[in-house]
Amino acid sequence: MTTKQKIKIDIFSDINCPWCYVGERRLNKALQQVGEQYEAEINFKAFELNPNIPQDGMGRLDYFKGNYGEQVVSQVPAMDQRMTEAGAEEGIKFNFSDSMTVNNTFNGHRLIWLAEQYGVQHEVASALFKAYFTENQNMNDLAVLKEIGVAQGLPTERLENFFESEEGKVEVRQMEAFAQSAGITGVPAFVINDQYLVTGAQPAESFLNVFKQIAPTIQKLDIEGNSCEVGGIC
């Protein structure tokens, strides 16, 4: 019986980031192909693209115009089309609209942090992506966040006063500080075995090549993929 090689993968991502949704699916696809060879330990780490956004969010077009000026509006349909096609290839249904809000995701990251304690972090993160991008739900609506948490296996009583407490706040900020110190400026970013960084939503084939190169030794790879930059459009 062969022993599986263990790979630790920390995914720095934001719920507001469509490439993070795509990147997570592509990583899963790669891991499914090598499931007999590798045992992956996956952890989602917090990264806020829009940390200063108001608690009630901003209209998507207003947000883009505020960062890039009126001229960006004409580019949004092509950007959405590209993103929708990329998502469809991974089984993701993106529903972009002018009425979408860009949410403050700090509380969503706290929920993902809590989910790790119950072994459902991956499920909660995936559910948040779907709720935002497919169902256009508000990712800072505490009732929505609680509902998603319970649906993915978090105890109802554990969530009762969770968001009103201080729990998870320090931990989320520490994760974000680590990302900053590590030079991560966009997401998704995948830190493998605590010392090897892959940036962007790589195709599944790229992840497979990475796995081969880090076994048995770690090497620095210089590959770039699509990502969302801080305060930027995707």
Side-chain angles (χ1 to χ4, degrees):
M1 180 179 171
T2 57
T3 303
K4 290 185 182 182
Q5 181 178 348
K6 292 184 178 180
I7 297 180
K8 180 172 180 272
I9 305 174
D10 290 333
I11 306 175
F12 286 84
S13 68
D14 195 7
I15 303 159
N16 277 343
C17 166
W19 281 117
C20 293
Y21 197 3
V22 171
E24 178 242 359
R25 286 289 182 92
R26 289 177 176 174
L27 172 63
N28 285 345
K29 185 186 292 184
L31 289 172
Q32 286 171 5
Q33 293 181 40
V34 293
E36 294 181 2
Q37 191 175 356
Y38 301 105
E39 181 181 328
E41 176 195 330
I42 297 176
N43 297 292
F44 281 81
K45 302 294 186 180
F47 190 102
E48 287 178 276
L49 288 165
N50 327 105
N52 299 316
I53 207 154
Q55 287 297 316
D56 52 357
M58 282 182 71
R60 188 166 177 254
L61 289 184
D62 289 338
Y63 173 77
F64 287 159
K65 284 188 284 188
N67 280 289
Y68 296 98
E70 291 284 342
Q71 71 276 8
V72 76
V73 175
S74 63
Q75 302 169 26
V76 171
M79 182 181 76
D80 288 349
Q81 180 65 25
R82 174 188 176 217
M83 201 70 250
T84 299
E85 290 171 0
E89 290 178 9
E90 308 304 331
I92 295 168
K93 182 175 173 54
F94 281 117
N95 282 325
F96 295 110
S97 70
D98 292 350
S99 62
M100 277 181 82
T101 57
V102 179
N103 305 140
N104 187 301
T105 57
F106 186 74
N107 282 321
H109 286 301
R110 291 173 66 202
L111 181 67
I112 293 170
W113 167 80
L114 179 65
E116 183 180 8
Q117 300 174 24
Y118 292 88
V120 291
Q121 193 183 47
H122 206 158
E123 290 81 357
V124 166
S126 296
L128 290 170
F129 280 134
K130 183 179 180 183
Y132 180 54
F133 286 112
T134 301
E135 300 165 4
N136 292 164
Q137 297 195 62
N138 183 340
M139 289 295 94
N140 196 31
D141 183 323
L142 301 186
V144 169
L145 294 177
K146 288 177 182 177
E147 187 178 318
I148 288 171
V150 171
Q152 301 306 320
L154 295 179
T156 305
E157 62 276 10
R158 187 72 176 81
L159 287 168
E160 199 166 319
N161 297 304
F162 173 71
F163 293 109
E164 291 74 24
S165 75
E166 294 298 305
E167 274 196 279
K169 291 183 178 181
V170 170
E171 289 81 0
V172 166
R173 293 193 181 105
Q174 285 174 340
M175 285 186 264
E176 294 177 337
F178 174 86
Q180 192 171 13
S181 68
I184 296 172
T185 58
V187 285
F190 304 85
V191 177
I192 302 178
N193 290 348
D194 291 323
Q195 50 185 315
Y196 169 56
L197 176 66
V198 175
T199 57
Q202 301 292 337
E205 294 73 24
S206 294
F207 283 114
L208 294 175
N209 289 332
V210 169
F211 297 156
K212 289 175 186 173
Q213 292 192 49
I214 66 169
T217 57
I218 302 295
Q219 299 177 37
K220 175 70 177 170
L221 293 188
D222 184 20
I223 54 177
E224 295 290 331
N226 296 113
S227 60
C228 298
E229 297 294 319
V230 171
I233 59 177
C234 305

